[in-house]
Amino acid sequence: DTAVSQTPKYLVTQMGNDKSIKCEQNLGHDTMYWYKQDSKKFLKIMFSYNNKELIINETVPNRFSPKSPDKAHLNLHINSLELGDSAVYFCASSADRAAGNTIYFGEGSWLTVV
Amino acid sequence: DQQVKQNSPSLSVQEGRISILNCDYTNSMFDYFLWYKKYPAEGPTFLISISSIKDKNEDGRFTVFLNKSAKHLSLHIVPSQPGDSAVYFCAASLYGGSQGNLIFGKGTKLSVKP
């Protein structure tokens, strides 16, 4: 039973489309994240939510909008997709916001914009 | 600017020998360091961590060493096994800042040959 699950795993879409990636964690964690791994292999945080409240919003275009309907879910919606959005997007969760807490990652969603 | 650097993109080691993966950081405010392991098409998984108040932490075959004066940490795997072949990410966490926000290095791909 996957602790952090995200769907879809692979997504190929055209420029200008709007798409969503869903994420759910069954660990009972309070904090969830979206990370992005770009073509240069850098893994960087995009957003962090704690108990459905936005905590971290790094420098991400406002075409990216996270939504947390409850603390077990954090979905990522992307409007007007661009070629540069092609990347692997990892959802993750941790028990709380304490520094150094183990973060559990999902398997990743491979987004290709053509 | 890379705050966490893994200067070796790849490392090849013979089975049974020691693997040493290195990581350097620039921000002296980092207070917690972690190593994550990642297999292809999977999300990163937590391996071992160390607080900045310690200089060594050991867990089975894995030992992490921290040299704060040099802003350097390393992961030792002894003995190395073929199943250890993966990409290893060094990550650091900021105290009092964006708690839970891990800053990752680019990763080192370890290949353990039978």
Side-chain angles (χ1 to χ4, degrees):
Chain A
D1 199 15
T2 307
V4 181
S5 58
Q6 51 185 113
T7 56
K9 182 155 187 173
Y10 300 100
L11 179 59
V12 180
T13 188
Q14 290 188 326
M15 283 176 56
N17 283 350
D18 303 338
K19 291 294 177 185
S20 293
I21 307 172
K22 295 184 177 180
C23 179
E24 175 182 5
Q25 54 94 3
N26 62 7
L27 298 166
H29 287 168
D30 286 344
T31 308
M32 295 186 71
Y33 313 84
W34 277 106
Y35 277 80
K36 176 182 179 181
Q37 185 176 31
D38 59 24
S39 57
K40 295 182 180 179
K41 305 302 182 187
F42 281 110
L43 189 60
K44 293 182 180 177
I45 191 165
M46 300 173 68
F47 302 101
S48 170
Y49 269 70
N50 188 69
N51 273 322
K52 303 195 305 176
E53 180 186 347
L54 180 64
I55 301 301
I56 296 172
N57 182 353
E58 293 297 306
T59 307
V60 177
N62 57 16
R63 297 182 295 104
F64 291 78
S65 53
K67 286 187 172 50
S68 182
D70 54 62
K71 74 173 192 177
H73 295 84
L74 181 62
N75 304 322
L76 182 65
H77 188 75
I78 315 170
N79 289 327
S80 302
L81 278 156
E82 300 177 357
L83 292 176
D85 297 331
S86 296
V88 185
Y89 293 85
F90 289 99
C91 178
S93 72
S94 64
D96 55 40
R97 297 164 54 194
N101 241 328
T102 300
I103 294 181
Y104 296 85
F105 286 85
E107 292 190 336
S109 293
W110 271 252
L111 172 65
T112 303
V113 182
V114 297
Chain B
D1 60 331
Q2 282 180 256
Q3 296 189 66
V4 178
K5 300 178 184 179
Q6 294 176 257
N7 292 319
S8 297
S10 63
L11 174 67
S12 184
V13 172
Q14 205 67 33
E15 181 179 6
R17 306 295 287 268
I18 184 171
S19 295
I20 300 177
L21 297 109
N22 294 305
C23 178
D24 297 296
Y25 62 95
T26 58
N27 192 335
S28 58
M29 297 300 291
F30 286 141
D31 77 324
Y32 214 88
F33 303 89
L34 306 92
W35 284 94
Y36 278 78
K37 176 180 176 179
K38 183 182 180 302
Y39 292 116
E42 294 185 11
T45 54
F46 171 74
L47 190 58
I48 192 169
S49 64
I50 187 167
S51 164
S52 60
I53 62 173
K54 295 186 176 180
D55 54 19
K56 177 182 175 181
N57 187 26
E58 190 172 351
D59 183 2
R61 297 185 297 112
F62 302 92
T63 303
V64 56
F65 295 93
L66 176 62
N67 182 335
K68 282 196 300 182
S69 61
K71 295 192 179 71
H72 177 84
L73 66 155
S74 60
L75 174 68
H76 292 211
I77 307 174
V78 182
S80 301
Q81 299 174 353
D84 296 329
S85 297
V87 177
Y88 288 79
F89 289 96
C90 172
S93 174
L94 275 168
Y95 175 74
S98 300
Q99 293 177 325
N101 175 3
L102 293 182
I103 298 173
F104 284 87
K106 288 181 70 171
T108 296
K109 184 177 182 180
L110 173 65
S111 299
V112 180
K113 299 182 178 179

